[in-house]
């Protein structure tokens, strides 16, 4: 009854967000930066921002998350944060010894108007950046976009600062995976290797935030795309960017800066989106799809077929990040489920709505950006009584209040494990999603069935 | 000792090896360090958050509201308005043209919808820069809506977390004294600095009830606006978590003549001390008798259990890294009951006096740190070969990766750790983690066992030679 205050009637709220369905840009930038090998993310702002982002990521991954802060004080806020950042860069290389520091701004340093490019140049001129080490930056004003925008901006900055076109043919393909889990990034790499494709995937947080317990604390875990890999992305033959919101801007920049052509696809969540991804890889790399992948796909179709009567007509309400929502909606409609509501706090734009509508038609309620929060989502759920809710951990209040099963997907997930290790992308990911959905649907059926129709075989 | 950053040297001390104790604390973190600290806003937010029937509106971009949405397990026995997340979600337009209008609209709408007893408006970093006059907006809404609407000056960059505690105390102080009608018993107290994590306030309140002492208000665990309004009627303030609430106690002493005592409810002696301090303050034979009985009953009840745990834990070594230093004192003592020595102890916000006391109660060789970072902490833990880390959310995975047991003594504690039964929960948690079979699979444990075996072999060899 935690949300018992939520009334069913929708009212227009112009000035207010209640229970946000998004968070601010810097946390996305920090997460993206963790996807570079030997990288220390740096938050240019007050200490609290960095502490909050690290706590959020730690709660989500249950792994250490390292990042530094410029530790703004009143003085820095009046006179600008240049001195803090130059000192920070000096200290970071002296003590923590990363290969690269990835700086992002905060609302504070944005409003002060610190010019990070200029400050980094000054640090370089002053000899604060050791030879061979790199400092990159991105602007992540918290009052624009959302955490997904922050991820996109940092990914774009990787290209801006690091990728170079030298004219050497590398025969590799770039994959920009978007704001997905380390398990998803690993799954994409596994598929590339099954297809025999040489690929560069960045950012790559696999084995950074889901590393093994080996008895030691690693400031820089084993994983992550190396600086030289990201540099070489400028010489790749092609880029496949996954997800319009999180990945498109970096792919575009690689094209304009280094002349690497690209295709932007939906995140390969679900069978249709994965089919499109595999097909794109097959064509661009000129390879054939191996049997191993065909078997995995066939197994997905097999389960979809075996269980289609359980999916049929189930009503779903989804809240989350735009790129995940697009693919998820497509997958659910492929399974003959009915999409009632799609909500994201990220200002995802008309293209997002168009894409969702292309799968669902006109009846689905879609809301993004201002006013699209969990409170609004809850009101929708109250009015339409879906069979399933898809969302992050914060959707659990709604699920509990309305007694509707929740499929946890997205960011953050603070109360379950699994997302770190098991993907939702690829055919394997589709299988995992189906298992989750079926478990939720069937557990509910078992719970609610009268004794006479409580079934053993389902 | 391990290699440390020059600028950090004044904040690290090893007892017994460095001569006179000196600690450079109360410093802002070095720019570029992986500080475990947070900001002013965080300090204010954690202190005021548990007031369950107040509206907490965070004025700024969405992040500050998102990251503090229901992350602290401060339980309420009634309303749960504090568990929702309200933000003005400032966008670029307001950053340019000011957010006052939006704040006004948001407050008006929220108060209309939820009818809170009072409202707190938290200013985040950006508000300090764009210059919104939140004071004026709060006053206006307060006049229109007939409830207290209190601005909290918690711009993140205006200092450390401690300054946030101060801002929160100032906000509370505006509420205190606004109810002149109520009366309180002569033997009455306010509980300051308990936040009802996992229901701890309830445990403490029950003790006072048994002692015959009236609790007028708790600031802020399971807090209610009306209780805080009449807090000035209490005869005494009992302050736990002194870092956050001593400032308020001092203000109340000055303006209302209410004396205060600093206490801690963690561990056996400290809990008993706390209750005795209150009993002695009132110097009432009935209360003294009740207190003696309560303490005797509880201690004799839990002591055998603690002893049972001690059998397993004797000789283990711990590291402590917590927010407030007062908690660190109690933990050092509580661990001693279990036969666990504290090898490393530190806090985010301790002051000079705190560290002096800490130095006094610690064993020789204990490392004392202010505002440490993961690299330092992990090196110290490895050097001292500790078995347990007590800390918060960001420290937990570091300990685990190193094959070290962990106990959360921060927001994410799941069991009440305060009072006598809290001691048992604490023992159980520490025992559960240190003795877990999981460590046998951790490479760290194997490495450590090998190292110890080698050392044993060496000492036997040496003994044989001599």
């Amino acid at each position: 009854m935690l949300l018992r205050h939520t009334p069913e009637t929708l009212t227009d709220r112009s000035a207010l967000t209640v229970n946000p369905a998004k968070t601010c840009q810097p946390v996305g930038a920090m997460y993206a930066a963790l996807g570079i090998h030997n990288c220390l993310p740096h938050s240019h702002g007050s200490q609290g921002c960095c502490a909050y982002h690290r706590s959020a990521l730690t709660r989500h991954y249950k792994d250490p998350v390292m990042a530094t802060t410029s530790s703004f004080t009143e003085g820095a806020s009046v006179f600008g944060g240049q001195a803090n950042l130059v000192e920070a860069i000096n200290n970071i290389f002296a003590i923590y010894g990363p290969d690269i520091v990835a700086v992002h701004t905060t609302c504070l340093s944005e409003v002060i108007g610190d010019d990070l490019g200029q400050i980094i140049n000054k640090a370089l001129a002053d000899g604060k950046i050791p030879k061979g080490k790199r400092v990159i930056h991105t602007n992540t004003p918290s009052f624009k976009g959302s955490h997904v925008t922050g991820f996109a901006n940092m990914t774009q900055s990787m290209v801006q600062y690091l990728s170079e076109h030298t004219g050497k043919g590398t025969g590799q393909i770039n994959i920009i995976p978007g704001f997905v889990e380390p398990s998803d990034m690993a799954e994409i790499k596994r598929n590339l290797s099954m297809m025999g494709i040489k690929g560069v995937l960045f950012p790559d947080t696999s084995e950074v935030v889901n590393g093994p317990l080996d008895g030691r604390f690693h400031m820089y875990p084993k994983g992550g795309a190396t600086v030289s890999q990201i540099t070489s992305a400028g010489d790749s033959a092609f880029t496949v960017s996954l997800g319009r919101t999180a990945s498109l801007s970096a792919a575009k920049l690689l094209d304009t800066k280094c002349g690497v052509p690209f295709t932007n696809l939906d995140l390969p969540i679900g069978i249709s989106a994965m089919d499109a991804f595999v097909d794109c890889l097959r064509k661009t790399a000129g390879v054939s799809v191996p049997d191993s992948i065909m078997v995995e796909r066939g197994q997905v179709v097999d389960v979809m077929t075996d269980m289609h009567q359980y999916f049929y007509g189930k009503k779903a309400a989804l809240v989350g990040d735009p790129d995940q929502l697009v693919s998820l909606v497509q997958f659910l409609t492929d399974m003959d489920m009915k999409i009632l509501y799609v909500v994201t706090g990220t200002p995802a734009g008309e293209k997002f709505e168009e894409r969702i509508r292309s799968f669902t038609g006109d009846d689905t309620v879609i809301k993004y950006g201002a006013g699209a929060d969990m409170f609004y989502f809850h009101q929708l759920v109250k009015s339409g009584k879906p069979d399933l809710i898809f969302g992050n951990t914060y959707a659990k209040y709604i699920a509990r209040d309305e007694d509707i099963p929740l499929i946890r997907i997205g960011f953050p997930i603070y109360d379950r494990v699994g997302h770190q290790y098991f993907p939702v992308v690829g055919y394997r990911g589709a299988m995992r999603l189906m298992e989750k959905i079926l478990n939720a649907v069937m557990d509910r059926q078992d719970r609610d069935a009268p004794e006479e129709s409580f079934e053993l075989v389902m | 000792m391990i290699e440390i950053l020059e600028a950090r040297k004044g904040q690290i001390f090893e007892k017994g090896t460095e001569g006179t104790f000196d600690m450079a604390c109360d410093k802002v973190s070095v720019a570029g360090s992986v500080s475990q600290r947070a900001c002013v806003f965080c300090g204010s937010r954690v202190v005021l958050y548990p007031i369950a029937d107040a509206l907490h509106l965070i004025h700024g971009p969405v992040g500050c509201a998102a990251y503090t949405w229901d992350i602290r397990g401060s339980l309420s026995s009634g309303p749960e308005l504090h568990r929702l997340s309200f933000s003005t979600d400032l966008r670029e337009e307001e950053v340019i043209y000011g957010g006052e209008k939006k704040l006004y609209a948001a407050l008006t709408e929220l108060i209309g919808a939820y009818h809170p007893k009072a409202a707190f408006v938290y200013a985040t970093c950006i508000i300090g820069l764009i210059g919104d006059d939140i004071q004026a907006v709060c006053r206006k809404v307060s006049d229109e809506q007939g409830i207290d609407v209190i601005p909290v000056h918690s711009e993140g960059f205006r200092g450390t977390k401690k300054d946030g505690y101060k801002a929160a105390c100032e906000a509370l102080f505006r509420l205190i004294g606004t109810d002149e009608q109520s009366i309180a018993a002569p033997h009455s107290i306010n509980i300051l600095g308990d936040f009802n994590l996992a229901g701890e306030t309830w445990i403490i309140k029950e003790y006072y009830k048994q002692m015959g002492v009236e609790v007028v208000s708790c600031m802020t665990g399971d807090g209610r606006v009306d209780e805080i309004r009449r807090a000035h009627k209490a005869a005494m303030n009992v302050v736990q978590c002194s870092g956050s609430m001593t400032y308020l106690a001092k203000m109340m002493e000055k303006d209302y003549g209410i004396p205060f005592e600093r206490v801690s409810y963690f561990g056996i002696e400290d809990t008993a001390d706390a209750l005795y301090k209150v009993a002695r303050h009132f110097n009432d034979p009935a209360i003294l008798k009740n207190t003696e009985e309560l303490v005797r009953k509880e201690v004799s009840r839990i002591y055998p259990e603690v002893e049972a745990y001690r059998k397993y834990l004797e000789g283990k070594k711990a590291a402590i890294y917590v927010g407030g230093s007062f908690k660190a004192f109690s933990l050092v003592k509580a661990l001693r009951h279990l036969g666990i020595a504290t090898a490393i102890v530190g806090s985010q916000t301790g002051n000079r006096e705190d560290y002096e006391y800490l130095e006094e109660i610690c064993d020789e060789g204990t490392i004392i740190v202010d505002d440490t970072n993961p690299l330092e902490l992990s090196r110290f833990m490895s050097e001292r070969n500790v078995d347990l880390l007590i800390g918060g959310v960001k420290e937990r995975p570091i300990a685990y990766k190193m094959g070290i047991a962990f106990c959360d003594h921060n927001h994410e504690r799941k069991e009440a750790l305060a009072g006598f039964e809290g001691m048992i929960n604490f023992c159980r948690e520490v025992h559960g983690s240190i003795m877990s079979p999981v460590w046998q699979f951790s490479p760290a444990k194997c490495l450590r066992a090998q190292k110890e075996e080698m050392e044993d072999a060496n000492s036997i060899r040496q003994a044989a030679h001599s």
Side-chain angles (χ1 to χ4, degrees), chain A residues 26-38:
Chain A
V27 75
M30 186 182 283
Y31 177 58
L34 290 167
I36 308 176
H37 183 63
N38 273 352

Side-chain angles (χ1 to χ4, degrees), chain A residues 13 19 59 63 74 397, chain B residues 70 85 109 158 401 412:
Chain A
R13 286 175 297 125
N19 299 343
R59 289 186 174 106
D63 253 20
E74 195 116 40
Y397 302 117
Chain B
D70 206 22
S85 173
E109 199 172 315
R158 285 206 200 278
K401 284 281 190 255
E412 284 179 21

Side-chain angles (χ1 to χ4, degrees), chain B residues 50-67:
Chain B
I51 305 173
D53 56 354
L55 176 78
H56 301 267
L57 174 61
I58 295 160
H59 187 35
V62 77
C64 301
Y67 303 117

Side-chain angles (χ1 to χ4, degrees), chain B residues 360-380:
Chain B
E360 210 178 294
I361 62 167
C362 283
D363 300 326
E364 292 284 304
T366 303
I367 295 168
I368 302 171
V369 287
D370 179 56
D371 184 27
T372 189
N373 61 65
L375 200 57
E376 239 175 54
L377 188 64
S378 68
R379 284 177 183 171
F380 282 135

Side-chain angles (χ1 to χ4, degrees), chain B residues 303-335:
Chain B
Y303 211 74
E305 279 194 66
V306 175
E307 283 297 297
Y309 285 116
R310 185 186 174 111
K311 285 198 190 94
Y312 297 99
L313 301 173
E314 182 92 56
K316 302 284 184 195
K317 280 181 283 182
I320 299 170
Y321 188 68
V322 288
S325 48
F326 228 65
K327 189 151 67 185
F329 308 155
S330 298
L331 286 168
V332 170
K333 293 186 233 170
L335 287 169

Side-chain angles (χ1 to χ4, degrees), chain B residues 201-262:
Chain B
T201 303
W202 298 330
I203 295 175
I204 308 300
K205 271 189 170 173
E206 180 57 29
Y207 294 156
Y208 286 122
K209 195 175 148 200
Q210 287 180 34
M211 286 160 59
V213 173
E214 181 188 323
V215 175
V216 178
S217 76
C218 183
M219 287 183 266
T220 55
D222 196 14
R224 297 291 181 277
V225 171
D226 284 344
E227 286 177 8
I228 297 167
R229 281 183 202 291
R230 58 187 166 89
H232 62 300
K233 301 281 182 182
M236 179 190 188
N237 279 329
V238 188
V239 189
Q240 192 190 224
C241 187
S242 56
S244 68
M245 285 293 197
T246 306
Y247 183 69
L248 179 66
K250 284 184 175 163
M251 284 196 286
M252 289 177 77
E253 186 175 47
K254 186 163 165 276
D255 278 29
Y256 298 105
I258 304 174
F260 72 90
E261 282 283 1
R262 298 197 339 173

